[in-house]
Amino acid sequence: MILPLHEQLKARVRAVLAERYEITDPDLNVPVETPPNRTMGDLGTPVAFDLARRLRKAPRVIAQEIADALGPLPGITKVEAAPSGYLNVFLDRPAFLLARLGVAGSLPAPTPRSDKTIVEHTAINPNKAAHIGHLRNSALGDTLVRALRFRGSPVEVQNYIDDTGVQVADVVVGFREFEKIDLAGAKHLAATTRFDYYCWDLYARVTEWYDGDKERLKIRQATLHDIEHGVEPTASLAAFIADTVVRAHLKTMARLNIDYQLLTWEGDILRLKFWARAFDAMQATGAVYLQNDGKHAGCWVMKIDDPDAAATPEDDDPESREKVIVRSNGTAVYVAKDMAYQFWKSGLLGHDFYYRPFATRLNGEPLWATTSDPALAVKDHPAFGAAAATYNVIDVRQAYLQKLLKQALTAIGHPAEAERLTHFSYEMVALSHATAKELGFAPAEGSDEAKKPFVEVSGRKGLGVKADDLIDRVIAKAQSEVERRQPDLSDAERRRIAEDIGVAAVRYFLIKYSRTKVIVFDIDEALSFEGESGPYLQYAVVRANNIFQKLQDRLGIDQAAMLAPLPTMPPDFINGSDGDHELWALVLEAARLDDVVEQVVRTLEFAVLAKYGFALAQMFNAFYHRAQILNEERDDVRRWRAAAVAYFRMQLTRMLELMGVAVPPRM
RNA sequence: GCGCUCGUAGCUCAACUGGAUAGAGCAUCGGCCUUCGAAGCCGGGGGUCGCAGGUUCGAGUCCUGCCGAGCGCACCA
């Protein structure tokens, strides 16, 4: 944990700039970085470069003047102006490490944050099994939740369930038209088959069927109408399908240690007339108005004030500057429901759901769901909604709609809330041609599809890798590796370990790419446990844990006993008096976790977290090979090394928790 | 047509809000299991950072133009 030191250094440098140069701009940045290596320093700032022109002095000279004026700082032993112009500082290494291990000294308590934050992620249409594209959303969303909590923010995780959309309607059509299955039949099916897999295939067949004769789309429209208006028996069948598939999704996500606090159902938003409330607010503030002329005559429209978001291909016509919100027949478009939902999230709707317990969370607490039925409502529930900040985790293809949401908030007079709404956007997952071929989805030679750099995943076509299939394959691979290496363990133990490894492999794979990059999914790459992979990180911690296990087994010494004498031992070894700073480098890198989490939350770039964990594990592995502990005879050296390893394993374990990954006892 | 994103080693990707010598994994070549676990470590080869200008003490990073790829732009959801 290094951020408190950053803050202290920044504050002191600012004070010096004010005293010595009378520079007090509040927005003057004092960036704190980590120099390339430990002989140059532990923290550094290029602040002198910014001031060079202003002060008409060389950066080197300015850095030196600041260094001279800084005075003594707690935890810092030396400040140095590098020839390059950087201002570098050196930390009190023994004090730094021992405080973080709780052996000696103390750390400042972190300042708690109080602003409630809602994170919405997953939101899979409840009409088929989850696939790898959905998994990217959930992995990013869940890691965001964990990162926010790590830094002390209270978070509410929601999963939006579109139970009244066309996708569910399509599967209902399949049940009726192809299978002649009613509600009782569907219940029987759910009890005897993989229901979400069954729906996966059925959905693809329905899509194909529509393509055969466009007249059939009328059946979809009628079905959708019946679902929205609660017309039986369609409504009950649709509700059963959605409920069953949602429960399957929850199971799939639970395998990856992903869960939620609240499921918000679109049907409840409809039945509780959230849109009517939102519409009132939008009319009252002039956010929407009735268009009398042109092609949007008779529609309620919202002005699009961002020229980036032109609504139609024809530019320069006035209609392209407005978005239809309510059609001329009086029905609201899709995004209208999202607006109502967003108003509720931001605490601006003045109306609430009823709530019912739906399932049990991973931690044993109830998972709540919204309901519109007072008979099902449970009074004693946590307060939901009305957050100070919102993150909507949803892929980049929805960027336009998310922009409209933000604009709607501004339009009803709440620019601050709009500012605190973040579209966490990420690119989609596609299949490599090799993997698509392996799955039997090779596009026809010479077709447009075949010329593309990748094959697009499509739930509509049933083209994709199902999440559970992927997880099964990864775990099976891990299982065979564990069986080879751990013959003395029981089957159950090996299974547990294989599951931990599988989760690590899948989750690491899903966050290691920048969110702006399309993941071209390749099955062999996802199944790799070598090099930059989740299991590599786990393996490093397992080895570190083993050292302490062996200390206990062979010598009867636990970690506390090993580290207790360090405050009175010579610090030469951690100080690198012999010119070797490898041990200290490992400690300092391990301490950067809070800095990395801060950066990750600021930029929503979780690849940075993944890379950090990997680099840290790499440093440890190198150290591990060079520096023995059990066989080291010099007592001080042995204990300093043990301290470094103790801190490393603590920090990398925490990093793995941030991506929902556990460390197995062996692997 | 307009907008957003991407283009870095043979392949897949990094490069912290413009900073110190552009780094990893895979692949390839060569070493290391009688020392805390080889899912590992050490080393070699491999780069006009798409192209051309510009801003800056400093550009892979910012600006402009061009080339190539992907996505989005409905009274669909």
Side-chain angles (χ1 to χ4, degrees), chain A residues 291-507:
Chain A
Q291 177 59 267
N292 294 312
D293 304 308
K295 64 179 179 184
H296 292 157
C299 298
W300 287 86
V301 300
M302 183 173 87
K303 267 223 167 68
I304 298 169
D305 48 40
D306 187 344
D308 293 354
T312 61
E314 304 85 7
D315 36 14
D316 287 341
D317 68 312
E319 282 89 356
S320 71
R321 302 274 174 203
E322 51 189 38
K323 165 74 187 170
V324 172
I325 304 296
V326 178
R327 303 181 187 100
S328 50
N329 69 3
T331 58
V333 300
Y334 169 79
V335 72
K337 274 174 284 190
D338 275 3
M339 287 173 177
Y341 179 31
Q342 185 59 50
F343 291 177
W344 171 81
K345 282 178 177 173
S346 299
L348 301 173
L349 192 70
H351 203 44
D352 201 1
F353 297 99
Y354 299 107
Y355 299 95
R356 59 183 165 127
F358 184 83
T360 304
R361 294 186 59 199
L362 297 176
N363 66 5
E365 289 173 13
L367 166 62
W368 292 86
T370 59
T371 178
S372 44
D373 183 352
L376 294 175
V378 170
K379 282 235 161 51
D380 190 22
H381 62 79
F384 293 111
T390 311
Y391 289 90
N392 293 337
V393 182
I394 178 162
D395 77 63
V396 67
R397 288 173 295 191
Q398 304 270 12
Y400 172 61
L401 292 171
Q402 289 292 314
K403 208 171 228 172
L404 291 177
L405 285 193
K406 250 179 133 75
Q407 231 174 280
L409 283 172
T410 306
I412 62 166
H414 289 277
E417 280 76 3
E419 196 55 40
R420 304 202 66 185
L421 163 60
T422 305
H423 173 204
F424 181 170
S425 137
Y426 61 92
E427 266 291 354
M428 57 181 179
V429 181
L431 303 178
S432 70
H433 281 286
T435 296
K437 195 174 173 187
E438 194 188 320
L439 293 167
F441 290 117
E445 220 163 296
S447 67
D448 288 349
E449 275 286 290
K451 284 176 198 148
K452 283 196 177 183
F454 46 74
V455 182
E456 194 179 346
V457 170
S458 166
R460 301 175 60 81
K461 294 180 192 158
L463 202 176
V465 178
K466 294 190 202 67
D468 279 321
D469 288 350
L470 171 66
I471 298 167
D472 287 344
R473 281 189 69 168
V474 175
I475 290 176
K477 165 98 184 289
Q479 180 114 27
S480 72
E481 299 288 331
V482 175
E483 274 162 14
R484 196 153 54 78
R485 289 159 221 249
Q486 309 292 347
D488 54 319
L489 293 180
S490 72
D491 283 348
E493 284 169 314
R494 288 196 295 240
R495 173 71 194 178
R496 266 301 299 151
I497 291 168
E499 285 169 358
D500 283 342
I501 294 170
V503 171
V506 171
R507 290 196 61 155

Side-chain angles (χ1 to χ4, degrees), chain A residues 169-216:
Chain A
D170 286 343
V171 172
V172 171
V173 169
F175 269 93
R176 291 270 200 59
E177 298 295 323
F178 299 171
E179 312 293 322
K180 313 291 181 198
I181 291 178
D182 60 5
L183 180 58
K187 283 183 176 170
H188 176 71
L189 206 58
T192 53
T193 63
R194 271 299 304 254
F195 194 76
D196 56 335
Y197 277 36
Y198 177 89
C199 291
W200 174 282
D201 294 329
L202 186 58
Y203 179 47
R205 283 162 58 205
V206 173
T207 306
E208 223 174 305
W209 184 68
Y210 288 145
D211 289 343
D213 180 358
K214 297 294 173 200
E215 275 298 296
R216 293 166 179 162

Side-chain angles (χ1 to χ4, degrees), chain A residues 424-657:
Chain A
F424 181 170
S425 137
Y426 61 92
E427 266 291 354
M428 57 181 179
V429 181
L431 303 178
S432 70
H433 281 286
T435 296
K437 195 174 173 187
E438 194 188 320
L439 293 167
F441 290 117
E445 220 163 296
S447 67
D448 288 349
E449 275 286 290
K451 284 176 198 148
K452 283 196 177 183
F454 46 74
V455 182
E456 194 179 346
V457 170
S458 166
R460 301 175 60 81
K461 294 180 192 158
L463 202 176
V465 178
K466 294 190 202 67
D468 279 321
D469 288 350
L470 171 66
I471 298 167
D472 287 344
R473 281 189 69 168
V474 175
I475 290 176
K477 165 98 184 289
Q479 180 114 27
S480 72
E481 299 288 331
V482 175
E483 274 162 14
R484 196 153 54 78
R485 289 159 221 249
Q486 309 292 347
D488 54 319
L489 293 180
S490 72
D491 283 348
E493 284 169 314
R494 288 196 295 240
R495 173 71 194 178
R496 266 301 299 151
I497 291 168
E499 285 169 358
D500 283 342
I501 294 170
V503 171
V506 171
R507 290 196 61 155
Y508 190 91
F509 180 84
L510 290 167
I511 68 163
K512 73 185 244 194
Y513 299 94
S514 289
R515 62 196 175 92
T516 52
K517 228 135 202 168
V518 175
I519 295 182
V520 181
F521 181 83
D522 186 86
I523 187 71
D524 293 328
E525 228 178 295
L527 284 173
S528 168
F529 299 163
E530 284 167 18
E532 199 198 334
S533 69
Y536 179 96
L537 274 65
Q538 288 175 308
Y539 188 59
V541 183
V542 167
R543 284 171 139 183
N545 289 341
N546 254 349
I547 294 170
F548 286 95
Q549 188 59 50
K550 291 243 155 58
L551 277 171
Q552 182 70 260
D553 294 346
R554 293 185 193 171
L555 306 171
I557 306 175
D558 66 7
Q559 178 179 313
M562 192 68 190
L563 306 186
L566 278 171
T568 57
M569 298 207 107
D572 306 77
F573 200 67
I574 188 172
N575 282 338
S577 306
D578 60 352
D580 176 7
H581 301 282
E582 193 178 19
L583 187 155
W584 168 243
L586 178 64
V587 171
L588 188 68
E589 185 64 7
R592 284 187 54 234
L593 180 60
D594 59 347
D595 187 23
V596 170
V597 170
E598 224 26 62
Q599 185 193 339
V600 160
V601 169
R602 191 176 66 242
T603 61
L604 299 179
E605 192 50 270
F606 287 92
V608 169
L609 179 69
K611 302 279 175 199
Y612 164 75
F614 175 63
L616 182 58
Q618 250 184 338
M619 283 181 85
F620 168 75
N621 273 330
F623 178 76
Y624 176 88
H625 277 272
R626 277 193 277 267
Q628 293 279 311
I629 291 174
L630 289 174
N631 301 317
E632 174 58 53
E633 290 177 357
R634 293 166 294 177
D635 197 41
D636 57 330
V637 174
R638 201 158 81 117
R639 290 182 196 271
W640 280 120
R641 284 178 179 165
V645 172
Y647 188 52
F648 157 77
R649 67 169 176 162
M650 178 173 116
Q651 292 291 87
L652 190 56
T653 300
R654 296 181 77 186
M655 182 270 149
L656 286 168
E657 277 169 15

